Amino acid sequence: MAPRDMEYLLPQLLSFPPHPPPPLPLSDQVYDKEIRTLRLVLNEIPANALTGGVPNGGDLLDILDPSINTLPYLYVLLAHIHAGRQKIMIGGSFWLKTLNFLERFDPIQVRYVGVEFRRVILFIRDTALASNTYFLYGAMVYMALREWTRAILFLEIVLTAPTKSNASQIQVEAYKKWILASLLARGEVPGSLPKTTSPQVAKNVRALGRPYEALGEIFKEGLAKEQDVRRLNAEIHTGHQRWMEDHNLTLVLQVPDAYRQFSIVTLELTYAALPLLIVTQRTSPDSKDHAETAQYVAMMISNGQLNATLDRTSQDPQSWILRFAMSSSAGPHARSEQEQYEELVRQASRTAKLADHVRETDRKLSLSREYINWMKQAKSEANAPQGEDSSTATAYPFDEEDIMGDG
């Protein structure tokens, strides 16, 4: 847009409401007349004029304040959506500006543009649904690569995504995979879903994910009681058809090996050293194959999963001793204090970045709850009995069909 055109357009967009506010508030009649006039003006402005750039870079969304200039901001959003919907990505600049509008819009002004407001809500909903598919498949890719932290994060983004009411099928799938990924990565399922998961979604996914929760409970109880893998294997065998129908059989079949690994790791919490004979009896699929257990433990040590040593006292593996390192500065994976410090710094940095990402996701995905609460309040006001004085109804027109309708 040419600077001269923008000089003409901006005063129109900023004409209402007056800012700073006048000493005396506008009467209901004046407010109603001026905001209706502004809406007529906005309806006449070509969409390409609203999506053009402004002097010194940026666009109108960088100039308008959604809490003050709610109507112009809304119309500019819709112009961008109409012009380039396919190019709009979650987490991008326009997406964040849209969420900023939904967090800060003036609820009085927005009642004059119920249909337009609903279009933005539908855009957010449809984009979020497409996003859920992206994050679910992304999580599946990361699980195939055994990058569990990223996989779990992607699944939690799906679980905390906005929903109209009940959990979507994609969220149910994400929950089942979230349980399995947590078992494989951490040896446990978190005690609760991410805090921004809506209560209705949590209720739905848990009801439909009971078999997976049962698997997690058997895993947890078995580790706590130092049980062998037989009960877990029985549960996996019983649900074989279910895991296969859910396309989760490959993940489920990895659970016994994860159980074995965490069973060996947790022995360190109780023992400083242990005969390999005992390790075999408690953790091996074959309680008499001590040579296989020795190979398995050696593999874990080699992979850095276990900071321990095997004392080979004879040619017979059952007489060998598994000795756990007493601290991180001892054993085959011993690290100096400086190395430990550097690793802590790296972990802190990774955690901070992940926390920032999750906070931003929480902020973005908390919108639906706030929106639903506002809609409930608006609907109650719309259904409330009208008094003799109709000035309030004139100043705050609200057509339930505009915002709440399905058409």
Side-chain angles (χ1 to χ4, degrees):
M1 177 180 293
R4 189 171 300 173
D5 295 334
M6 183 58 68
E7 289 176 5
Y8 170 76
L9 180 60
L10 267 177
Q12 292 182 296
L13 301 181
L14 300 174
S15 62
F16 180 86
H19 192 73
L24 294 176
L26 298 178
S27 68
D28 291 342
Q29 291 76 13
V30 172
Y31 185 101
D32 182 71
K33 178 182 178 181
E34 293 196 8
I35 196 169
R36 290 181 184 276
T37 300
L38 175 62
R39 183 179 180 183
L40 290 174
V41 169
L42 290 168
N43 284 333
E44 295 298 320
I45 299 175
N48 61 353
L50 296 175
T51 58
V54 298
N56 301 319
D59 60 29
L60 287 169
L61 296 177
D62 298 313
I63 296 176
L64 300 171
D65 184 335
S67 64
I68 299 171
N69 317 115
T70 296
L71 264 63
Y73 202 101
L74 174 62
Y75 272 73
V76 174
L77 287 177
L78 289 173
H80 279 284
I81 291 170
H82 179 74
R85 186 167 188 157
Q86 298 303 319
K87 299 178 182 177
I88 296 167
M89 300 294 293
I90 283 190
S93 174
F94 179 79
W95 175 259
L96 295 178
K97 288 174 182 176
T98 305
L99 299 185
N100 182 43
F101 169 78
L102 291 180
E103 290 177 338
R104 300 179 57 206
F105 69 84
D106 180 350
I108 296 176
Q109 291 185 49
V110 88
R111 292 177 184 174
Y112 287 82
V113 284
V115 172
E116 291 81 1
F117 180 72
R118 184 168 179 267
R119 288 175 187 160
V120 173
I121 296 301
L122 292 176
F123 162 73
I124 288 288
R125 184 198 68 183
D126 294 346
T127 307
L129 288 174
S131 168
N132 281 352
T133 302
Y134 164 79
F135 281 113
L136 178 63
Y137 282 112
M140 291 167 67
V141 170
Y142 281 126
M143 285 188 286
L145 297 172
R146 304 186 69 81
E147 294 187 20
W148 303 114
T149 300
R150 289 182 177 273
I152 290 169
L153 174 61
F154 271 37
L155 293 170
E156 290 181 349
I157 289 174
V158 176
L159 289 169
T160 56
T163 58
K164 211 169 185 180
S165 55
N166 294 329
S168 67
Q169 182 60 38
I170 290 176
Q171 288 176 308
V172 174
E173 291 182 32
Y175 180 63
K176 295 172 179 178
K177 288 178 169 56
W178 180 73
I179 289 176
L180 296 175
S182 297
L183 289 177
L184 296 173
R186 303 166 177 165
E188 62 179 1
V189 179
S192 62
L193 284 158
K195 63 180 180 179
T196 51
T197 307
S198 79
Q200 188 61 40
V201 167
K203 180 180 178 181
N204 294 154
V205 299
R206 293 201 64 186
L208 295 171
R210 292 297 183 199
Y212 293 81
E213 291 184 349
L215 195 66
E217 289 165 4
I218 292 172
F219 193 111
K220 179 181 178 180
E221 184 179 327
L223 288 181
K225 296 182 177 180
E226 297 185 0
Q227 296 174 342
D228 62 33
V229 76
R230 284 177 295 181
R231 185 181 173 207
L232 187 65
N233 281 336
E235 184 72 16
I236 290 173
H237 177 75
T238 300
H240 186 277
Q241 186 65 28
R242 179 182 296 107
W243 320 131
M244 188 167 62
E245 291 174 356
D246 289 346
H247 304 288
N248 286 327
L249 183 59
T250 300
L251 286 173
V252 172
L253 293 179
Q254 296 178 52
V255 170
D257 190 63
Y259 182 83
R260 185 181 185 186
Q261 291 178 24
F262 285 104
S263 294
I264 294 173
V265 170
T266 54
L267 292 174
E268 183 181 7
L269 302 177
T270 307
Y271 306 98
L274 203 62
L276 191 66
L277 171 67
I278 303 299
V279 177
T280 303
Q281 292 172 348
R282 293 187 179 183
T283 68
S284 175
D286 184 345
S287 60
K288 297 181 180 179
D289 194 343
H290 309 296
E292 189 276 337
T293 301
Q295 292 177 357
Y296 193 86
V297 169
M299 177 200 70
M300 291 183 64
I301 294 172
S302 175
N303 292 341
Q305 298 169 287
L306 192 65
N307 190 15
T309 56
L310 269 175
D311 286 354
R312 296 170 171 83
T313 55
S314 71
Q315 296 296 318
D316 185 0
Q318 69 175 317
S319 66
W320 296 357
I321 304 295
L322 176 63
R323 297 189 185 280
F324 298 102
M326 300 302 293
S327 70
S328 57
S329 59
H333 302 295
R335 292 175 294 174
S336 66
E337 291 186 4
Q338 179 62 29
E339 289 173 330
Q340 293 180 51
Y341 172 76
E342 291 173 353
E343 176 59 23
L344 286 173
V345 170
R346 287 192 293 270
Q347 288 181 4
S349 177
R350 290 193 295 267
T351 301
K353 289 178 181 178
L354 184 60
D356 288 343
H357 187 98
V358 171
R359 278 195 295 269
E360 179 62 16
T361 301
D362 286 350
R363 186 189 72 79
K364 291 188 289 184
L365 298 178
S366 65
L367 291 173
S368 73
R369 191 175 298 115
E370 296 172 6
Y371 168 65
I372 290 170
N373 290 339
W374 179 82
M375 294 298 285
K376 288 179 180 177
Q377 180 181 353
K379 186 175 182 180
S380 298
E381 292 174 2
N383 293 333
Q386 299 296 316
E388 294 296 326
D389 184 357
S390 62
S391 62
T392 301
T394 303
Y396 308 140
F398 179 82
D399 183 351
E400 183 175 333
E401 290 300 319
D402 279 354
I403 296 181
M404 299 299 290
D406 294 328

